[in-house]
Each structure stands twice: as structure tokens, then as C-alpha cells.
């Protein structure tokens, strides 16, 4: 059976590459996403009343990995990247239908110059991701406090993030353009975005990630993330 699905819009986010995107939504609350609706759905009536809800579900397409196929077994980062688990027992991006879902916080609705935009907080989506559907989060039905989380029962331990003097000076110059940049960098790096096989390494190897149009360089020293530089690409 074939099913045709058409995206309703595209989301713009700070994440320009897959590396360093938080592995779950809500972990970087300073990450703002803005959904611009395609012409067919560019009508405020489609989201009338959405401001009544504090959070919404986003269903989206893993567009950058869709052509890479899938496997019945994957290696979840939560298991150190060494143990295999069934793809349907994980949130791996390599899925048969390349569909993802995230619960995010409602921020605002804008309709300007005949373009409808829905802004949300705490996104974990790559910039340019096609959004397939939007549904309100309903606490009494969607929240299950007694649920078991398997390998992800508990939140990961956070790493300390510190900024070098050079990075602090660069942040000062960028604050007016990116008011939440400091908190966004801290929230992303505190999750330890390194590959699972690097996370037990004591090496001070340098890493880089792209947020907005900025390249952030950091290294790990004594189990702390040290941000060395923040430069415009």
C-alpha cells in the first residue's frame, strides 16, 4: 500500500548540521524553531486556537538521512554506540519511513507579509527540515508519569561548559544579534554531543559545530567543555 504525504511547511532552526543537535527535544530550551507554512497551508485558520496549548507535537521528515536506508538493528548512543537494539525500540533517524516526532514548547504565531509562521522552543530539528504535521500536546493523555523509559529512563548527566576569554569577547560582539547564544551553546554542549565512542576519552581533541552562521570550537578538559572560539563562517 502506498501513502502520499505532503509537508505542510519547513522549519528554520539554529542547527545547520546533524552533529551536536540534542538527541531529544526540550534539552536546549534556547533553540528556537520557526515553521513557515507552504502556500497551500498558509492560512491562519489552520492553527487557530493553538495558543491555548503550551506545547505541540511536530511530525517531520528526516530528509538528510532518508536516502541512506535503514536496518532492523541500530547502535543507540545511550548504549555507548557498541550495543545493538531494534530500530523500532529506538529513536534512530534511520527508519523505514524516515519520520520523526518531537514535543516542543509553543512560542508565538506571526502572520506578516502574507506569511504564516509558528515559532516553537526546544527544537531538536535540523535547519530546513520538512514538517509533516502539527498536533497539540494534551497533558492528561500524553503525559504518563509512571511510564518506563528502558535505556533512557533517566536524564543524562550534564557536563560543565566554560568559555575562554577569547570566546567571551566574541560573545559580547554577537549578543545583539543572537541574544540567547550563550545559553544555547551551554545547553547543547552540556549534553556532550561527541560521538559515543569519544565520551570516555580523556583527550583534549578539539571539536567544532555550526549554530546559525557561526562555527563554535571547543575541547574537553577534565570532563568540562571549554569553548575556545566563536567565529562567523
Amino acid at each position: 500500500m502506498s501513502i502520499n504525504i505532503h509537508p505542510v511547511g519547513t522549519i528554520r532552526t539554529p542547527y545547520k548540521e546533524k552533529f551536536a543537535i540534542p538527541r531529544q527535544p526540550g534539552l536546549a530550551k534556547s533553540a528556537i524553531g520557526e515553521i513557515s507554512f507552504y502556500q497551500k497551508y498558509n492560512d491562519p485558520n489552520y492553527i487557530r486556537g493553538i495558543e491555548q496549548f503550551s506545547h505541540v507535537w511536530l511530525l517531520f521528515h528526516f530528509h538528510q538521512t532518508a536516502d541512506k536506508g535503514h536496518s532492523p538493528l541500530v547502535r543507540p548512543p545511550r548504549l555507548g554506540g557498541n550495543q545493538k537494539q531494534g530500530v523500532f525500540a529506538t529513536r534512530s533517524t534511520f527508519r523505514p519511513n524516515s519520520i520523526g516526532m518531537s514535543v516542543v514548547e509553543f512560542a508565538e504565531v506571526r502572520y506578516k507579509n502574507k506569511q504564516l509562521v509558528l515559532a516553537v522552543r526546544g527544537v531538536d530539528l535540523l535547519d530546513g527540515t520538512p514538517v509533516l504535521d502539527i498536533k497539540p500536546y494534551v497533558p492528561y493523555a500524553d503525559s504518563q508519569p509512571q511510564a518506563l523509559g528502558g535505556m533512557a529512563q533517566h536524564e543524562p548527566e550534564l557536563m560543565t561548559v566554560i568559555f575562554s576569554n577569547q570566546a567571551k569577547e566574541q560573545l559580547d560582539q554577537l549578543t545583539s544579534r543572537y541574544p540567547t547564544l550563550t545559553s544555547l551553546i551551554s545547553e547543547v554542549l552540556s549534553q556532550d554531543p561527541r560521538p559515543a565512542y569519544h565520551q570516555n576519552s580523556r583527550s583534549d581533541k578539539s571539536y567544532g559545530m555550526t549554530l546559525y552562521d557561526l562555527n563554535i570550537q571547543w575541547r574537553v578538559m577534565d570532563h568540562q567543555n571549554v569553548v575556545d572560539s566563536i567565529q562567523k563562517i
Side-chain angles (χ1 to χ4, degrees):
M1 182 174 64
S2 177
I3 300 175
N4 294 321
I5 296 178
H6 303 283
V8 300
T10 300
I11 190 167
R12 310 306 304 189
T13 79
Y15 306 117
K16 306 301 181 182
E17 57 186 1
K18 182 181 176 183
F19 178 62
I21 296 180
R23 297 188 177 99
Q24 302 294 344
L27 299 180
K29 298 186 184 301
S30 299
I32 305 295
E34 296 190 341
I35 302 168
S36 294
F37 290 83
Y38 293 149
Q39 183 176 0
K40 184 177 180 180
Y41 308 100
N42 191 36
D43 180 342
N45 284 320
Y46 274 102
I47 54 175
R48 181 191 296 181
I50 200 168
E51 67 280 353
Q52 301 173 50
F53 300 91
S54 65
H55 293 74
V56 297
W57 288 101
L58 301 182
L59 277 72
F60 56 90
H61 181 54
F62 288 118
H63 62 298
Q64 280 205 349
T65 57
D67 62 347
K68 302 187 185 309
H70 70 279
S71 171
L73 294 173
V74 296
R75 299 176 187 271
R78 268 299 186 105
L79 297 179
N82 297 317
Q83 300 180 47
K84 293 183 178 181
Q85 191 149 323
V87 66
F88 292 142
T90 74
R91 296 193 178 188
S92 169
T93 59
F94 301 99
R95 318 189 68 80
N97 290 305
S98 302
I99 294 175
M101 66 178 195
S102 293
V103 62
V104 295
E105 183 181 356
F106 169 80
E108 65 172 339
V109 172
R110 297 196 305 272
Y111 188 63
K112 186 177 181 180
N113 298 326
K114 297 183 179 181
Q115 177 60 62
L116 180 63
V117 173
L118 171 63
V120 292
R121 298 188 186 92
V123 295
D124 61 339
L125 281 71
L126 185 68
D127 184 56
T129 294
V131 175
L132 305 178
D133 203 356
I134 301 165
K135 298 176 183 289
Y137 178 91
V138 180
Y140 85 87
D142 294 343
S143 177
Q144 302 293 331
Q146 305 305 317
L148 297 178
M151 60 182 174
Q153 182 68 28
H154 303 290
E155 296 181 14
E157 292 185 14
L158 301 181
M159 295 182 69
T160 300
V161 179
I162 58 178
F163 294 84
S164 68
N165 289 333
Q166 175 179 268
K168 289 178 181 177
E169 292 176 0
Q170 293 166 331
L171 280 170
D172 288 341
Q173 298 173 4
L174 294 164
T175 299
S176 60
R177 185 177 179 188
Y178 303 108
T180 63
L181 182 59
T182 301
S183 57
L184 177 58
I185 293 174
S186 297
E187 289 166 353
V188 171
L189 293 186
S190 69
Q191 307 293 327
D192 195 357
R194 295 176 297 165
Y197 58 88
H198 281 192
Q199 292 180 356
N200 292 323
S201 172
R202 299 197 176 189
S203 169
D204 61 352
K205 176 181 176 181
S206 293
Y207 298 88
M209 67 177 178
T210 303
L211 295 177
Y212 301 112
D213 57 348
L214 304 170
N215 178 261
I216 293 92
Q217 294 288 322
W218 87 94
R219 56 199 159 86
V220 178
M221 291 184 61
D222 299 325
H223 303 290
Q224 294 183 326
N225 282 317
V226 181
V227 181
D228 289 318
S229 69
I230 305 166
Q231 297 183 339
K232 190 173 177 60
I233 298 174

